[in-house]
Amino acid sequence: MRADRPREHWVKTADGLLDAVLPYASPGFAQYRLPGRTSWSGPGSDGLEGFARTFLLAAFRLAGDPAGAPAGLLERYADGLAHGTDPGHEYAWPAITDLNQTIVEAASIAIALHETRPLLFDRLDPGVQERVVSWLGGIVGKRAWPCNWVLFKVIVEQFLAGVGGPYDQGEIDGHLADVERWYVGDGWYTDGAGQNYDYYCGWAIHLYTLWWARMSGADATVHKERLRTFLDGYRHFFAPDGAPMHQGRSLTYRMASLAPLWLGAIFDASPVGPGTTRLMAGRTLDHFAAHGVPDERGLLTLGWHRPHLPTTQGYSGPASPYWASKGFLGLLLGPDHPVWTAPATAPGEGDLALALPAPGWLLHRTDGVTHLVNHGSDGNDPDSAKDDPHYAKLGYSTHTAPETGPGGRAENVDNHLAVLLPDGRATRRRRIERIGIAHGFAASRYADGEVVVETASVLDGPWEVRVHRVTAPAGSVVRDGGHALASGEPCAVTLAGLTASVATGPGSGPGSGPGSGPGSGPVSGPVSGLVSEIAGLHGWRTAQAALRQDENAIGPHSATPYLVGAHPGGAAVYVSAVRLGRGSPAQAPDIRVKGDEVSWNDAAGSRVTVALGREPGYTRNGPVGERVVWTG
């Protein structure tokens, strides 16, 4: 599991990615029109994206070791700059306009030009320099979406300021002030107003604020300390085998998840040692390589482990995955930097329970799998309330993905507590209202019409114990789903009493193939590989499994274990235990329910009490005096 990849391996991988896109370059190299679904911005914008994002990778490659760069690489991107900014060229870049994708790509070009300035920009023909500055200068005064996009303007205008181009210092200062308002503590930013917590905090907000300081010469102390604090939790978003957490949008950028780790090394702002940074990054690079990334053509495709369009967003085009270039930031560090030479020390690989109050998450690692228990990020700004499966679920992990195909989105079984009303409508967790968070505990509520669902998650050994207090009309049905498990072969399904489990591995058994759907009958097969399990501890009547095909980013066959119970009307309590791991677990907790209060002895011998409703609370009394108390 070491994957201690030397710098030469990263160089070879980067060169392979850059070579693979060459057949798709337009005449003059201004655009790279890669195969795949066109984004909603159109083929011209997608072609610019192909140039900008691969230019970013080429810049890291060139700046980190100019003497070792492949022949022709510098010239190729110099040609692209010349032709892309020539209005008379067939593949000239679209002009920068309000709220347009060109704003995003301009930032990648600006960073690439800044990092390679002595090699490239300063050597361009003066006429080409003027055209590049003029095209980038089109960003001044243009409107950006009120999220990480404002930092694209900051980066471009700061570059322009350094080369004598047009810029507006008021815009730079104003947008930096916007970002400052989004800082919520513990190193975390929300991506715009609302509860938008995801990878953009690391690969965009931390990256661009620090790069602005790098370009401007401003004091970076505050931003470095915030990155250091952020990384103290973020380093646990990766499983020991390198798999990154599968949560949030733009997951098709894949290795870009490594950008904050490299940032910590570049800016000397990391709690992670340089050798450990290299080892962690190498494991993630190997993780994707082991799952077919890049593909047999050497290309990065729209998907995760495989091409899978339901994982993506409409703004993603064929070249969008090349923001994975940010995952190669370490190439800026020369061969003698400690990140490449220090002894590799393995990161923590044992069990983990960690509360991240700022985004409202618990991190829970067991059996080499890291889970994210979500009670704080819904992906919504204050004026919207959608239930994106990449944000609204109760849980995510490094080895599973939500069901994002049309059937999975509609049924919404996995990692969701739904109330099926007498009229047939199913409630959805759109906007998360936080209740509280403490060590090993987090709670939130959501409302959908007359239904109110309060949920507390408590970490207990390999289990996440979910306590739900559901207010709903009589005749409703309550359903709680575990993690959707996916693989290349049908999953084995086991239904036993009030426990449902699904497992990956060979010999998954009959009845779990194409066409099976929610409510399929008992199927048994050998348990091997990964197991997703849910056990009904209180309030449930049946355990079932939902089987789907081509709806999951991890693999073509997926299955979700879930529980079903009747609702008597008014407020009722339901308790379930969810597990994602390997092999056979310990016995699920033996709980006691009294009114709105649920109590049990956990795997460590502590007495746990959880209450929801009017007086929410959580206590954990350890056998040797440890005590955690939270009251709402």
Side-chain angles (χ1 to χ4, degrees):
M1 194 189 292
R2 285 192 62 82
D4 185 10
R5 295 301 186 183
R7 192 176 188 279
E8 291 75 16
H9 180 78
W10 287 85
V11 166
K12 182 179 179 181
T13 303
D15 289 349
L17 289 170
L18 292 168
D19 287 345
V21 300
L22 263 178
Y24 306 98
S26 64
F29 301 103
Q31 296 187 23
Y32 288 80
R33 296 203 170 189
L34 299 171
R37 181 200 67 192
T38 303
S39 77
W40 60 31
S41 297
S45 176
D46 291 350
L48 165 62
E49 188 171 64
F51 174 89
R53 299 191 179 195
T54 60
F55 184 28
L56 193 62
L57 178 58
F60 299 154
R61 174 75 174 88
L62 289 161
D65 184 16
L73 182 62
L74 189 68
E75 292 74 18
R76 185 193 318 168
Y77 283 95
D79 285 350
L81 291 164
H83 293 109
T85 57
D86 179 0
H89 193 268
E90 181 183 2
Y91 291 97
W93 300 337
I96 298 175
T97 57
D98 289 336
L99 308 175
N100 191 271
Q101 186 68 26
T102 46
I103 293 174
V104 184
E105 307 318 318
S108 289
I109 292 172
I111 288 178
L113 288 171
H114 178 267
E115 295 304 318
T116 60
R117 183 173 172 179
L119 301 170
L120 181 54
F121 183 81
D122 290 348
R123 298 183 182 182
L124 291 174
D125 179 87
V128 175
Q129 285 185 344
E130 289 179 10
R131 292 205 308 269
V132 170
V133 167
S134 176
W135 185 83
L136 289 172
I139 205 168
V140 180
K142 299 301 190 296
R143 288 185 296 133
W145 294 108
C147 60
N148 67 90
W149 275 49
V150 302
L151 287 171
F152 303 144
K153 292 192 62 182
V154 168
I155 290 295
V156 174
E157 294 194 41
Q158 192 60 57
F159 172 75
L160 290 167
V163 297
Y167 71 100
D168 183 333
Q169 189 63 47
E171 282 194 341
I172 294 174
D173 295 342
H175 289 321
L176 289 171
D178 290 336
V179 174
E180 191 64 25
R181 285 192 290 273
W182 302 333
Y183 185 67
V184 297
D186 297 334
W188 280 90
Y189 296 84
T190 175
D191 187 16
Q195 298 188 122
N196 303 296
Y197 300 102
D198 57 19
Y199 281 115
Y200 276 89
C201 180
W203 69 34
I205 298 181
H206 279 293
L207 191 155
Y208 292 121
T209 52
L210 281 162
W211 232 266
W212 163 77
R214 180 179 173 97
M215 296 168 76
S216 67
D219 184 356
T221 301
V222 170
H223 295 300
K224 287 181 180 180
E225 286 308 306
R226 288 179 181 178
L227 175 63
R228 185 183 302 275
T229 304
F230 171 77
L231 286 172
D232 204 36
Y234 181 78
R235 59 181 170 175
H236 300 297
F237 275 55
F238 301 84
D241 68 0
M245 186 63 62
H246 193 97
Q247 180 273 342
R249 64 190 176 96
S250 299
L251 292 168
T252 195
Y253 302 159
R254 296 180 177 100
M255 290 84 81
S257 58
L258 297 171
L261 295 174
W262 293 123
L263 277 178
I266 290 170
F267 289 93
D268 191 22
S270 180
V272 183
T276 304
T277 295
R278 180 182 72 250
L279 182 60
M280 290 180 66
R283 287 179 177 180
T284 297
L285 191 66
D286 279 9
H287 169 80
F288 283 111
H291 290 89
V293 180
D295 70 6
E296 66 281 355
R297 301 165 296 178
L299 299 178
L300 302 177
T301 57
L302 287 166
W304 182 247
H305 284 173
R306 63 193 183 109
H308 190 251
L309 292 179
T311 304
T312 66
Q313 290 72 41
Y315 57 72
S316 295
S320 294
Y322 285 83
W323 239 22
S325 298
K326 294 182 176 185
F328 290 77
L329 270 171
L331 291 178
L332 281 174
L333 301 170
D336 296 328
H337 190 278
V339 81
W340 299 117
T341 61
T345 303
E349 298 175 356
D351 291 353
L352 171 77
L354 178 67
L356 298 177
W361 290 338
L362 301 176
L363 293 182
H364 184 208
R365 185 170 62 232
T366 60
D367 289 342
V369 178
T370 305
H371 324 83
L372 185 157
V373 180
N374 176 33
H375 287 278
S377 182
D378 53 27
N380 290 313
D381 62 43
D383 299 321
S384 69
K386 57 186 181 296
D387 66 331
D388 188 324
H390 294 104
Y391 292 95
K393 301 293 188 180
L394 282 165
Y396 299 90
S397 91
T398 51
H399 287 70
T400 63
E403 301 279 51
T404 50
R409 280 180 182 251
E411 292 288 340
N412 202 19
V413 175
D414 59 292
N415 276 313
H416 176 55
L417 190 291
V419 177
L420 313 179
L421 294 162
D423 64 6
R425 185 176 69 88
T427 63
R428 304 184 80 90
R429 190 190 195 212
R430 294 182 175 88
R431 190 177 296 285
I432 296 172
E433 180 185 347
R434 301 183 186 199
I435 294 175
I437 187 168
H439 176 68
F441 162 86
S444 64
R445 68 171 59 85
Y446 82 86
D448 189 347
E450 61 188 313
V451 174
V452 177
V453 176
E454 302 162 77
T455 298
S457 296
V458 178
L459 305 185
D460 181 357
W463 300 98
E464 173 206 346
V465 179
R466 295 177 181 170
V467 177
H468 307 283
R469 183 178 186 272
V470 180
T471 303
S476 299
V477 173
V478 181
R479 184 186 67 207
D480 190 14
H483 291 268
L485 203 58
S487 71
E489 300 294 332
C491 297
V493 178
T494 302
L495 306 178
L498 288 177
T499 298
S501 65
V502 298
T504 61
S508 296
S512 53
S516 300
S520 298
V523 178
S524 63
V527 175
S528 61
L530 201 59
V531 178
S532 173
E533 183 172 11
I534 189 166
L537 306 184
H538 179 80
W540 305 104
R541 289 191 175 180
T542 62
Q544 302 180 37
L547 310 179
R548 301 202 173 275
Q549 191 164 2
D550 292 326
E551 302 238 352
N552 197 286
I554 302 294
H557 301 278
S558 56
T560 304
Y562 67 97
L563 302 168
V564 177
H567 197 285
V573 172
Y574 301 81
V575 186
S576 53
V578 174
R579 182 181 77 95
L580 179 66
R582 294 179 172 86
S584 300
Q587 182 69 31
D590 182 13
I591 64 151
R592 179 174 178 270
V593 178
K594 183 179 180 181
D596 289 337
E597 185 177 280
V598 180
S599 58
W600 70 96
N601 292 327
D602 71 8
S606 299
R607 186 65 178 172
V608 178
T609 303
V610 176
L612 294 172
R614 254 182 217 184
E615 298 181 1
Y618 162 69
T619 61
R620 199 172 208 141
N621 293 308
V624 290
E626 303 96 338
R627 192 161 190 258
V628 178
V629 178
W630 175 87
T631 55

